[in-house]
Amino acid sequence: MGFDLHTHTTCSDGTTTPERNVADALELGLEGLGVTDHDTTEGFERARRAADGTPLELVLGTEFSAELDGASVHVLGYWIDPGYGPLIDELDRLRDERTDRARRIVERFHALDVPITFDRVAELAGEAPIGRPHIAKAVVEVGAAADVREVFDRYLADGGPAYVEKHAVTPRRAIELLVAAGGVAVLAHPGLYGPGDEGLDATVIERMAAAGLAGIEADHPDHDDEQRRAYRDLAAGLKLEVTAGSDYHGEAKENRLGSATTPREVVERLRGWVRG
Ligand code: AMP
Ligand code: FE
Ligand code: FE
Ligand code: ZN
């Protein structure tokens, strides 16, 4: 059944707990589960406790926010040491930046006559770093849209009227930091960047490969067949691994847990990945 290498929990913008994801992964018969919350390692211990004594193998990581020319780029970092100081510092900075940005997005909504409050958004995020899905939920609550998807379509998608970019590190710095933290860096959903989801340029990915990238998540539920093929070919040309993950967010997204899985041998090659 393989490893679903990309999932979220209530520790970031998913709606299901780490315990629940572990239980559901076992129920589905998955061999392994990647725990990849945005900009946090908070879910590690909870997932570990839940998986302890079960056959499920965890691949603990984070989906690290980077940006390039104002556009977000997500870098998955697996097997990172959550105690590595420079990583903790950067994650703290990202969390603060997410909070400031959420305040600016709330102001944008006020200008658009959507009366959400920052306090409610913060409450919806709880302990998690605030993400756009938390804000979208607040917008649905005040009746300005029917569901989260509509909020993204009308307001919050990259470049939308309520969109505010977040200031994050460059992809190169993200990769270097994740590798320095003992991890392995994989480019998440390369086809989903840019206002029209036009995807990342091959030259950008080549530069990321030179910075120590180990793999490309070519197999993502939101990629079409052509994108999957293109990113597979690119990975082959750059001698990078190809990974698959569902990007599960519970009820916050349609992607289902286990809907994309990476074979064990790829996970093992990634685990031992050293820059060639
Ligand atoms: P942020 O990290 O705050 O920039 O928010 C990005 C997150 O918003 C992604 O990880 C997804 O969870 C969610 N997201 C982005 N685009 C959409 C969309 N079109 N529909 C639903 N959720 C989305
Ligand atoms: Fe997310
Ligand atoms: Fe992502
Ligand atoms: Zn994700």
Side-chain angles (χ1 to χ4, degrees), residues 13-260:
D13 59 0
T15 62
T16 48
T17 61
E19 292 83 3
R20 169 78 191 278
N21 285 5
V22 166
D24 289 351
L26 280 162
E27 176 84 27
L28 285 168
L30 292 179
E31 285 176 84
L33 180 70
V35 178
T36 54
D37 279 305
H38 298 283
D39 303 329
T40 180
T41 59
E42 279 304 309
F44 284 21
E45 264 320 299
R46 290 176 62 179
R48 214 180 258 140
R49 267 198 302 276
D52 192 33
T54 76
L56 189 72
E57 292 178 40
L58 294 179
V59 178
L60 300 175
T62 186
E63 185 175 10
F64 198 94
S65 294
E67 71 158 348
L68 192 67
D69 303 329
S72 54
V73 175
H74 292 173
V75 184
L76 296 158
Y78 298 114
W79 300 291
I80 48 173
D81 170 9
Y84 180 62
L87 179 69
I88 294 174
D89 292 346
E90 198 56 58
L91 291 177
D92 284 348
R93 255 198 298 278
L94 277 170
R95 174 187 293 250
D96 291 347
E97 165 58 22
R98 281 178 170 281
T99 302
D100 291 345
R101 169 201 192 216
R103 290 186 198 279
R104 294 198 293 273
I105 293 178
V106 167
E107 281 165 21
R108 288 276 173 99
F109 274 110
H110 290 174
L112 294 161
D113 284 324
V114 178
I116 56 170
T117 67
F118 174 78
D119 287 351
R120 181 58 186 150
V121 170
E123 195 171 25
L124 287 166
E127 298 290 301
I130 302 177
R132 279 181 277 166
H134 302 118
I135 302 170
K137 206 165 172 192
V139 173
V140 172
E141 280 183 354
V142 298
D147 53 27
V148 165
R149 171 195 273 268
E150 188 189 332
V151 180
F152 271 93
D153 288 348
R154 283 177 55 194
Y155 302 103
L156 264 184
D158 287 23
Y163 176 69
V164 175
E165 69 185 57
K166 68 179 175 287
H167 302 293
V169 301
T170 62
R172 162 193 279 274
R173 166 92 179 118
I175 293 164
E176 288 169 352
L177 192 57
L178 293 167
V179 170
V184 170
V186 171
L187 173 60
H189 47 65
L192 301 190
Y193 300 117
D197 281 355
E198 57 268 36
L200 268 199
D201 217 86
T203 57
V204 172
I205 299 178
E206 280 161 24
R207 267 182 268 134
M208 291 176 74
L213 191 74
I216 300 180
E217 188 184 55
D219 188 6
H220 183 282
D222 300 335
H223 284 169
D224 60 29
D225 289 344
E226 196 183 321
Q227 288 172 317
R228 285 165 209 256
R229 214 173 313 118
Y231 290 115
R232 255 175 205 289
D233 289 350
L234 191 61
L238 294 170
K239 299 200 173 4
L240 301 179
E241 298 296 339
V242 170
T243 70
S246 68
D247 209 354
Y248 181 58
H249 280 73
E251 299 310 310
K253 247 185 165 187
E254 282 151 33
N255 311 8
R256 292 342 301 161
L257 186 68
S259 58

